[in-house]
């Protein structure tokens, strides 16, 4: 079984009348790239708990959706809140209100694989991957953890072979030092994302001991919540979509400048080249290459 770990909810806000750039998005330096790329035309697949299709900050961003949990295939109601939050971090509209995502013009393809309890069976994840591959997405975000599952690992390998970037949350097992990264983040075809706080310090809960690739903010991140609301969540689930959004910006730039998209390994390299070391020089076992930013990391001391 795959499981979403919503590590903590610190606040739920009914509305936000002025547009807010969360510190996690600001740390990524995404705004420095928006003049050239907001991820327009880039398809990001989300395997999660569904989405609030009518949230003001997500209207127009969702291009296709499918329910793989049984019942009505068109019912992607997000009873958990996790999928809506992840979607907002990567692609909330830049519309003068609420919040803004890292790549606010990216197109979202939503695969609901997780029920209201945050649980999914292996088949629902595998079918989600198959559907996203069929829809020729450019990036897939997987903000959850499970055991090693050959059933859906085959889907990840197929995505990788087709040039799709697969971004995964490292996991929230930092207090269990012997456990290291969870799956699917542990698969070599994925880009695994650890969590840091507003100061750029690795979060205590972020999984360690087996190298993550990269780190991004994952503590008290403000994003969309069902019912047109906003909430702060904590976990590596929140760090991964920052990197998925950044990858969308980079793929749009690559297409504009090179006439092609970056391969998964090229994307891993470019993302790492935009990182700032926060521990020892070079890759380490808690933050990988360091904290990602297009510039202006702005860590608070």
């Amino acid at each position: 079984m795959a499981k979403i770990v919503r590590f903590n909810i610190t606040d739920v806000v009914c509305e936000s009348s002025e547009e807010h750039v969360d510190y996690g998005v600001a740390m990524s330096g995404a705004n420095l790239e928006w003049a050239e790329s907001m991820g327009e035309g880039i398809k990001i697949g989300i395997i999660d708990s569904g989405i609030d299709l009518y949230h003001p900050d997500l209207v127009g961003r969702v291009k296709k959706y499918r329910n793989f949990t049984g019942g009505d295939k068109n019912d992607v109601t997000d009873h958990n809140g996790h999928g809506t939050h992840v979607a907002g971090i990567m692609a909330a509209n830049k519309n003068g209100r609420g919040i803004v995502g890292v790549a606010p013009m990216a197109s979202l393809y939503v695969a609901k694989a997780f029920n209201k309890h945050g649980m999914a069976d292996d088949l629902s994840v595998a079918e989600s991957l198959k559907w996203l591959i069929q829809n020729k997405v450019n990036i897939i975000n997987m903000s959850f953890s499970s055991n090693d599952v050959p059933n859906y690992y085959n889907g990840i390998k197929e995505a990788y072979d087709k040039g799709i970037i697969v971004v995964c949350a490292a996991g929230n097992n930092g207090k269990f030092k012997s456990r290291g990264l969870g799956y699917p983040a542990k698969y070599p075809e994925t880009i695994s994302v650890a969590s840091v706080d507003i100061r750029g310090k690795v979060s205590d809960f972020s999984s360690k001991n087996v190298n993550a690739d990269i780190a991004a903010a994952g503590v008290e991140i403000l994003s969309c919540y069902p019912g047109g609301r906003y909430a702060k969540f904590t976990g590596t689930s929140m760090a991964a979509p920052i990197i998925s959004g950044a990858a969308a910006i980079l793929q749009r730039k690559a297409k504009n400048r090179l006439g092609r998209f970056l391969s998964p390994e090229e994307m891993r390299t470019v993302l790492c080249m935009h990182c700032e070391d926060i521990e020892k020089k070079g890759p380490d076992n808690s933050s990988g290459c360091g904290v990602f930013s297009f510039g202006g990391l702005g860590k608070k001391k």
Side-chain angles (χ1 to χ4, degrees):
M1 296 289 287
K3 183 178 182 181
I4 285 173
V5 180
R6 187 175 53 188
F7 191 74
N8 191 23
I9 301 179
T10 55
D11 193 21
V12 176
V13 183
C14 289
E15 62 180 28
S16 181
S17 58
E18 296 182 1
E19 189 166 78
H20 175 73
V21 179
D22 183 76
Y23 86 89
V25 175
M27 281 177 65
S28 78
N31 63 301
L32 300 175
E33 301 294 324
W34 286 342
E36 179 177 357
S37 168
M38 291 189 182
E40 53 271 34
I42 303 302
K43 301 177 180 180
I44 306 179
I46 305 173
I47 302 177
D48 218 293
S49 61
I51 196 166
D52 178 358
L53 292 169
Y54 307 103
H55 196 291
D57 268 330
L58 297 174
V59 170
R61 300 273 54 81
V62 182
K63 304 306 179 183
K64 286 188 178 182
Y65 51 89
R66 183 67 62 87
N67 176 18
F68 294 97
T69 65
D72 185 352
K73 67 181 182 180
N74 292 315
D75 182 7
V76 291
T77 303
D78 185 7
H79 300 286
N80 184 281
H82 193 276
T84 300
H85 199 272
V86 165
I89 292 169
M90 66 177 70
N93 287 313
K94 188 170 176 20
N95 56 7
R97 57 150 295 169
I99 57 111
V100 59
V102 175
M105 291 187 69
S107 299
L108 301 180
Y109 287 67
V110 178
K112 177 179 170 67
F114 291 80
N115 61 27
K116 63 183 178 181
H117 303 295
M119 302 297 293
D121 60 38
D122 304 341
L123 181 60
S124 66
V125 176
E127 289 297 313
S128 296
L129 282 163
K130 181 179 179 180
W131 180 75
L132 291 173
I133 292 168
Q134 289 173 343
N135 278 279
K136 299 181 179 179
V137 299
N138 305 104
I139 300 158
I140 296 174
N141 189 91
M142 304 175 77
S143 287
F144 59 86
S145 291
S146 74
N147 296 322
D148 183 5
V149 183
N151 192 21
Y152 74 69
Y153 180 36
N154 290 331
I156 290 174
K157 288 189 289 187
E158 181 180 354
Y160 178 89
D161 290 341
K162 290 182 180 297
I164 299 172
I165 313 302
V166 183
V167 179
C168 300
N172 301 329
N173 289 320
K175 64 180 180 179
F176 304 107
K177 294 183 178 180
S178 62
R179 294 172 68 173
L181 298 187
Y183 293 95
K186 199 170 182 178
Y187 294 129
E189 292 83 1
T190 72
I191 294 172
S192 54
V193 187
S195 168
V196 297
D197 62 18
I198 194 169
R199 299 167 298 172
K201 181 180 178 182
V202 176
S203 307
D204 290 342
F205 59 80
S206 189
S207 294
K208 304 172 179 68
N209 279 355
V210 178
N211 287 359
D213 289 298
I214 196 168
V219 179
E220 296 190 3
I221 302 299
L222 181 69
S223 186
C224 303
Y225 193 74
R229 296 178 292 173
Y230 301 87
K232 291 180 180 179
F233 283 14
T234 290
T236 58
S237 284
M238 287 57 257
I242 290 176
I243 299 304
S244 291
I249 287 175
L250 287 166
Q251 287 295 50
R252 181 71 268 158
K253 287 182 68 175
K255 190 68 171 178
N256 291 346
R257 297 187 182 195
L258 306 176
R260 67 174 180 87
F261 293 127
L262 301 177
S263 71
E265 290 310 315
E266 287 175 326
M267 180 62 74
R268 192 192 311 274
T269 298
V270 173
L271 287 169
C272 285
M273 288 176 66
H274 282 87
C275 285
E276 179 176 316
D277 279 321
I278 56 175
E279 294 186 337
K280 68 179 184 180
K281 187 175 182 180
D284 58 63
N285 66 0
S286 57
S287 63
C289 293
V291 180
F292 174 84
S293 183
F294 285 112
L297 188 57
K299 293 186 298 182
K300 292 189 176 182
K301 303 297 184 183

